[in-house]
Amino acid sequence: MIESTANAQHRFSILIVDDEPANIDILSGILSPYYDVKVAPSGVVALKIVEKHTPDLILLDIMMPGINGFDVCKKLKSDKNLSQIPVIFVTALVQGEDEEKGFELGAVDYITKPVSPAITLARVNTQIKLAHQMRSTENLVQSRTSELEKSQQSAISMLAAAGHYNDTDTGHHIWRMAAYSKCLALAHGWSYERATLLAQAAPMHDTGKIGIPDNILKAPRRLDDIELDIMRSHASIGYQILSQSDTPLFQLAAEVALCHHEKWDGTGYPNGLSGNDIPESARIVALADVFDALTMKRPYKKAWSVKEAFDYIEMNSGKHFDPNLVQCFLSVKKDILATKAYWLTFEDKNIVPTIHNFLPRSCHVKDNEYD
């Protein structure tokens, strides 16, 4: 039984903590043939050892001078890096309240002194197996979660690319405007997790353009009314595509796709929503989207200066854009410009990103650099 757990390929490690040398000798003699054993003559020494060498299990005496076993266990369980180490108390104490306290602190078992070799080996082996199985399960879950996250990020990139497949002049627009959206959301009080979700959803805002005919999408002229209605249908098409998933990310993306062309004064499309009836996610993305579009060079226009773009955003406060978001956006000009400069490095190096959920680590933009 023991050999199957501590096989030739990997011998699990055990830390014995006891202030009595005789007790250490007995336990070491029982366990050393099957496990790599380390010993500590006090709680203080034990805590120093586990910081450098994390054991697979700890046998912990309770009655020790200085820091007793209960205090050692409490410290271990309060440390997220050490809390998963199984602790078995080895003690002569047999009072029920002591056992109850030990289990409340996170111990997995008790072994009473004088120790029985057979009982000690059996209980240690059981807890080692359980801990090993738990770690293996956690590693598998983390691996599967990582795979799912990669799949989700790939889906985001593909849907974002699909929406701009026929638009070869947007460069990294969808990624920059996503970064601006996150920056604005954070400044407006969104949690980091929610703002990150918005940064993932934002690049999919034009997914519906995949359903627009090329002769309209690429028309080198002003669209007539019928063509304009068809072009505007991309918001609803995007919503129909993205809302097929009930995950928080794609539900948010569907909301943004549907409403990012609505305007604060009610003159937008597809539903003519106004004010706070427009989801805040879409209001944020709309502002970020327009700012980045203005500062981009396109075949039909020159890139606006950042000052001109900021002025336009301010001028359209209460018309196209949420006034509160405009003031918030203007208050973080430095962060917006640092984000813009950061993302331009990707274009300068001709790097095609997949999905990035971060902002530059620091913003070192001078007060008037946008002028």
Side-chain angles (χ1 to χ4, degrees), residues 62 70 73 89 97-108 110:
I62 293 179
F70 289 141
C73 186
F89 281 122
E97 59 269 21
D98 291 319
E99 288 191 7
E100 183 177 344
K101 181 177 181 180
F103 287 127
E104 287 178 352
L105 290 173
V108 296
Y110 267 83

Side-chain angles (χ1 to χ4, degrees), residues 109-343:
D109 204 351
Y110 267 83
I111 296 175
T112 57
K113 299 176 183 178
V115 298
S116 161
I119 291 175
T120 299
L121 285 171
R123 293 189 174 181
V124 166
N125 187 54
T126 295
Q127 297 303 330
I128 286 281
K129 282 184 175 179
L130 289 173
H132 179 61
Q133 290 171 357
M134 183 176 295
R135 282 194 294 270
S136 297
T137 300
E138 289 175 350
N139 289 338
L140 180 60
V141 170
Q142 289 176 359
S143 176
R144 295 288 173 83
T145 301
S146 178
E147 290 176 6
L148 288 172
E149 288 176 349
K150 288 179 181 178
S151 297
Q152 180 172 277
Q153 289 179 353
S154 296
I156 294 168
S157 296
M158 288 186 287
L159 286 167
H164 290 269
Y165 183 74
N166 286 320
D167 192 349
T168 58
D169 299 303
T170 56
H172 292 67
H173 164 66
I174 54 177
W175 310 113
R176 283 196 306 271
M177 58 82 66
Y180 296 150
S181 297
K182 181 174 182 177
C183 184
L184 178 54
L186 289 170
H188 198 57
W190 284 39
S191 69
Y192 184 84
E193 292 74 17
R194 184 70 174 165
T196 297
L197 196 69
L198 182 62
Q200 292 176 316
M204 296 182 277
H205 69 291
D206 275 339
T207 295
K209 285 184 177 179
I210 196 174
I212 306 302
D214 283 359
N215 66 310
I216 294 177
L217 194 62
K218 295 182 175 181
R221 55 176 171 76
R222 186 177 182 85
L223 300 178
D224 61 34
D225 290 344
I226 294 176
E227 290 173 328
L228 194 58
D229 285 341
I230 294 173
M231 183 64 186
R232 287 176 172 177
S233 70
H234 81 274
S236 298
I237 294 171
Y239 175 80
Q240 291 169 11
I241 293 171
L242 297 167
S243 62
Q244 293 183 47
S245 170
D246 61 359
T247 64
L249 170 61
F250 287 101
Q251 287 293 305
L252 183 62
E255 176 180 273
V256 168
L258 181 65
C259 299
H260 71 284
H261 283 293
E262 301 286 3
K263 295 183 179 180
W264 185 258
D265 62 6
T267 61
Y269 65 87
N271 297 313
L273 301 179
S274 64
N276 290 323
D277 289 338
I278 307 169
E280 189 170 67
S281 59
R283 284 180 266 150
I284 290 172
V285 171
L287 197 158
D289 188 27
V290 169
F291 176 80
D292 191 65
L294 291 174
T295 58
M296 287 172 54
K297 179 181 178 181
R298 302 301 300 273
Y300 52 83
K301 76 172 187 70
K302 295 180 179 180
W304 290 24
S305 71
V306 289
K307 183 182 186 307
E308 290 172 325
F310 278 122
D311 288 346
Y312 178 86
I313 296 296
E314 186 171 18
M315 183 175 63
N316 282 274
S317 175
K319 300 174 185 176
H320 189 158
F321 309 115
D322 177 343
N324 291 327
L325 286 176
V326 169
Q327 291 305 309
C328 188
F329 188 75
L330 295 175
S331 73
V332 290
K333 287 177 180 176
K334 289 183 180 180
D335 293 349
I336 295 299
L337 290 172
T339 301
K340 178 178 173 60
Y342 175 80
W343 280 92

